Amino acid sequence: MEAVDGVQVMAYDHDKEHSTFDGAIKDVRTLLDAGIPANKIILGLPFYGRDIKTRDAETYGAIAARHHPEPAVDQVGSMYFNGISTITRKVNHAVQIRLGGVMIWEIGQDATGENSLLKAVLKSISSQSN
């Protein structure tokens, strides 16, 4: 681990609900238990959804534009994604346990305006640093 700056944990594309909060915590715990220092773990945040039946993917921007999910909603029909509340929980957890940071797959898939997941990430980080 001395030779690497960080390990990016792609905590998504799991079976069924591909990117749950609990799944992300489990992925991080696996690395911590393997001896990887928390400050070298970068938690991946999906800015897309995945259909739990067909495994097809769709951008969060498209999901938000078509369905207007409430912040705490992570599923519309068989499409599972991370809403604003789940993204906020993941970022808060990363800050609280002092991970090296978060990464986004993929920024161009975000929604605009008040539905933006990136805005939720930035708001969460700024509230933690005050």
Side-chain angles (χ1 to χ4, degrees):
M1 283 309 301
E2 296 80 30
V4 295
D5 295 325
V7 176
Q8 296 183 358
V9 182
M10 295 170 51
Y12 39 82
D13 284 343
H14 294 288
D15 290 334
K16 307 263 186 220
E17 298 171 336
H18 83 109
S19 57
T20 65
F21 177 78
D22 291 339
I25 300 314
K26 182 180 176 185
D27 290 344
V28 169
R29 174 58 42 206
T30 297
L31 295 178
L32 291 170
D33 290 347
I36 298 173
N39 67 345
K40 290 196 174 195
I41 298 173
I42 313 301
L43 177 60
L45 306 174
F47 278 26
Y48 66 97
R50 187 163 297 285
D51 190 295
I52 60 177
K53 292 179 182 176
T54 66
R55 303 298 296 157
D56 292 337
E58 187 170 2
T59 70
Y60 178 74
I63 294 166
R66 185 170 39 262
H67 301 287
H68 311 287
E70 293 295 320
V73 171
D74 287 331
Q75 186 172 352
V76 175
S78 59
M79 182 63 66
Y80 192 86
F81 55 93
N82 283 176
I84 290 172
S85 295
T86 299
I87 291 292
T88 298
R89 283 183 71 201
K90 287 180 176 183
V91 172
N92 288 344
H93 183 73
V95 171
Q96 289 165 0
I97 67 168
R98 300 182 183 275
L99 294 184
V102 297
M103 65 100 170
I104 295 164
W105 187 264
E106 182 271 321
I107 194 70
Q109 298 177 338
D110 197 9
T112 58
E114 294 304 311
N115 292 318
S116 170
L117 296 177
L118 181 59
K119 282 186 180 181
V121 169
L122 297 172
K123 182 178 178 182
S124 182
I125 291 170
S126 69
S127 72
Q128 298 271 336
S129 62
N130 291 336

